[in-house]
Amino acid sequence: MKSEHDKHSPSDIEEGYMELAFKLAEEALSLGEVPVGCVFVFEQEFIGRGRNQVNELKNATRHAELVALEQVMTTWGTQQGLSLESLKGILEKCQLYVTVEPCIMCAAALEQLRIPVIVYGAANERFGGCGSVLDVFSAGQGTFRPKVVGGVRGGDAVELLKRFYEGENPNTKKRSK
């Protein structure tokens, strides 16, 4: 029996992954968060999803990637009955789809977990850890280098960020144009 994914080309599937990340980013925006959303995918299955929750939880580490990673470990991993060691092996076969380039903190976590594929929308010119500010994958002594693909729906991601920074963030002053 064919799965739902068998009916689509790989590019259609990848667009669906990024589409869910954008839905999570829109949700973040509606809740007053920097609009970033992401999903972890393993064998064409969403195993973790997250959106920024920094303002909501008053915790600077609640970036979309770390929220999704926690979901992978606590919810999906528990449901699958996986040990931490088994879960690490799964993560080493995952892809991450995220609307904005991971910051240095998140990219370092992704490096430690050896996430092999990172696909992002907009570059993060202020805090980017995949090359915009610092390429954490080449900064250290390690030999691990994931496949990093940037610019996937980058314009859409920038538009969400503009909406946040130009009026939907009550903590930010309006810029003069």
Side-chain angles (χ1 to χ4, degrees):
M1 178 178 203
K2 288 192 170 209
S3 74
E4 187 64 25
H5 295 297
D6 293 333
K7 298 176 186 174
H8 304 286
S9 72
S11 62
D12 290 340
I13 293 169
E14 290 174 7
E15 286 176 23
Y17 300 153
M18 194 59 109
E19 182 60 31
L20 179 55
F22 271 93
K23 285 181 181 174
L24 292 161
E26 288 274 0
E27 182 181 317
L29 179 64
S30 74
L31 295 169
E33 296 285 348
V34 176
V36 179
C38 76
V39 294
F40 276 92
V41 177
F42 173 68
E43 295 181 346
Q44 298 184 349
E45 177 187 349
F46 297 116
I47 64 170
R49 46 189 94 195
R51 62 168 176 77
N52 276 2
Q53 296 179 323
V54 172
N55 296 334
E56 176 184 350
L57 299 176
K58 309 272 189 269
N59 181 336
T61 68
R62 302 309 291 164
H63 290 199
E65 299 91 335
L66 299 181
V67 170
L69 179 61
E70 183 179 336
Q71 187 179 75
V72 170
M73 294 173 65
T74 60
T75 304
W76 187 82
T78 301
Q79 289 171 351
Q80 302 298 315
L82 298 173
S83 68
L84 283 177
E85 195 57 38
S86 296
L87 198 51
K88 186 170 181 350
I90 299 274
L91 287 168
E92 290 176 356
K93 297 174 185 168
C94 283
Q95 301 90 43
L96 175 72
Y97 292 82
V98 61
T99 58
V100 177
E101 175 186 5
C103 71
I104 294 167
M105 173 183 70
C106 292
L110 298 171
E111 178 190 33
Q112 291 296 308
L113 294 167
R114 303 179 79 78
I115 305 300
V117 178
I118 300 167
V119 179
Y120 68 85
N124 184 341
E125 300 296 332
R126 292 183 65 198
F127 307 109
C130 296
S132 292
V133 174
L134 174 71
D135 182 354
V136 294
F137 308 109
S138 62
Q141 300 299 317
T143 58
F144 175 72
R145 293 255 340 137
K147 176 182 177 184
V148 176
V149 179
V152 177
R153 292 187 59 187
D156 294 338
V158 167
E159 286 305 312
L160 282 176
L161 291 167
K162 283 181 181 178
R163 284 175 44 201
F164 177 77
Y165 286 109
E166 290 180 355
E168 295 193 29
N169 180 359
N171 300 317
T172 302
K173 293 179 185 175
K174 290 240 184 207
R175 295 184 206 164
S176 54
K177 295 184 180 183

